[in-house]
Amino acid sequence: MPKVPILMPQLGDSIAEATVLRLLAAPGDTVEADQEIFEVETNKATMGVTTMCGGVLSDVFIKEGESIVVGACMAMIDATEEEIERSGATPAGDSTQPSLPASPESVPQRVPDASAREEKPAGVHFGLTGESYQENGTDLKVQPSVRGLPVPAGMKGAHYMSPRMKARMDELGMSASDIAFISGSGAGGRVTIDDLEEFLEYVSQWPHRKASSMRLAVADAMRRSWTRPLASAGRPVFMDPLIKHRQHSPLRPGITLYFARALALAESPECAGYLVGENILSPKTIDIGIAAQVADGVMVPVLRRVNERTMEELLEDYNRLIAQARRRRLAPEDSTGGIATVTNFGGFGLTFAAPMPMPSESIILGVGAVTKTPVWSDEVEAFIPISKANIVATGDHRVVDGADIGRLLKRVAELLQRPEYL
């Protein structure tokens, strides 16, 4: 009866091995497709390893408490030809999906002839050439037969990518999420380099347009930003004091400038910093970027020393930089060096979003659209209309924790209640 291997799947992009917690079935037990056979623990979670097809559990190569690398053969299932055909499982010995041994003990130590080789369960990493090999000799007549790490083990398996596949994706500027919808022809549905090239050929016939330099620059910046662990948190802020102050101000500063000034005054060492090695570097000055939407992208001019200058002192620079950004005439020295950015996505009618900081910045503050909300007043014992907006901060979680963001947003909200002091 054909044997089907149960392989240790890659249970996450950064998971290389797992520890076996429990054996949920014993040799001789009848199992069904997708039944959990082992319970394993990674550094992130406890998960189950399933079998791809039904049959009889015949061999178990692992023990509880043992660490298993991704791709290792954990056990064998005796399955009928009909079950293998129904489930699409690959039996042991099929060269398209060789299996890896869980330990050296699972590798046959001597293969005297061809007939014996056919009877041995496939669990070896190498195909053999010649009639035998020496157990302790150096002249091992072996031939590598692994064409790719045989993961995932079942329909719930992992997405292993070969070095050639990764190199091609890097060349195209693609990530793993970009190929998630491609149907793979590799082991367990894995997307191969041939699948990727076939997909690229297919979509080449779709209507398309050339991405602008601005769009590519934004894409590159956001891709680099996403390589960091990011965390977002938000809260409402009452906007009536700010709106009233702006209406009575002869300068009528932009709403975003109020938030930039409040962010600079509320900024703390916990939020303003860069992680370099084992040190967190604090900036010499608090320079705040202002996100400005332009054709096919975003530009971020930077206001200097926002914590040291008043609103009136900042207003001229603010208006000049925003005008230059919208004309896409921003000088390089006016768009670098910021420690944080303020983006007013409320101008597009959005009430909530999770903005991403620039790669060179540790935090970004997003401002949502102002809405009227009924709020209960104990003084008049009735609901009264209040202008409110949601503010959201996204920070580099290596430097900024949720509590830090919470304190920062609370302080920003407090400062905006007395805009005359900004």
Side-chain angles (χ1 to χ4, degrees), residues 309-322:
R309 305 159 67 192
T310 65
M311 290 276 290
E312 290 76 12
E313 294 170 335
L314 290 167
L315 186 58
E316 182 179 352
D317 279 350
Y318 174 83
N319 291 335
R320 174 181 61 84
L321 291 171
I322 293 298

Side-chain angles (χ1 to χ4, degrees), residues 15-75:
I15 303 301
E17 65 178 8
T19 300
V20 180
L21 291 183
R22 288 195 301 161
L23 307 182
L24 305 179
D29 289 353
T30 300
V31 297
E32 300 178 354
D34 290 330
Q35 177 180 334
E36 289 191 0
I37 307 299
F38 309 101
E39 184 177 79
V40 298
E41 181 182 43
T42 70
N43 58 352
K44 296 182 178 179
T46 298
M47 306 178 189
V49 177
T50 64
T51 174
M52 193 173 181
C53 67
V56 177
L57 186 64
S58 59
D59 300 289
V60 176
F61 303 126
I62 60 174
K63 301 176 182 178
E64 292 182 355
E66 184 178 4
S67 292
I68 304 298
V69 299
V70 170
C73 182
M74 306 177 75

Side-chain angles (χ1 to χ4, degrees), residues 130-158:
E131 296 182 354
S132 65
Y133 62 85
Q134 297 176 2
E135 183 172 314
N136 298 318
T138 58
D139 185 20
L140 303 183
K141 299 179 180 180
V142 298
Q143 176 183 344
S145 61
V146 175
R147 300 180 182 176
L149 193 61
V151 294
M155 300 303 291
K156 301 178 181 178

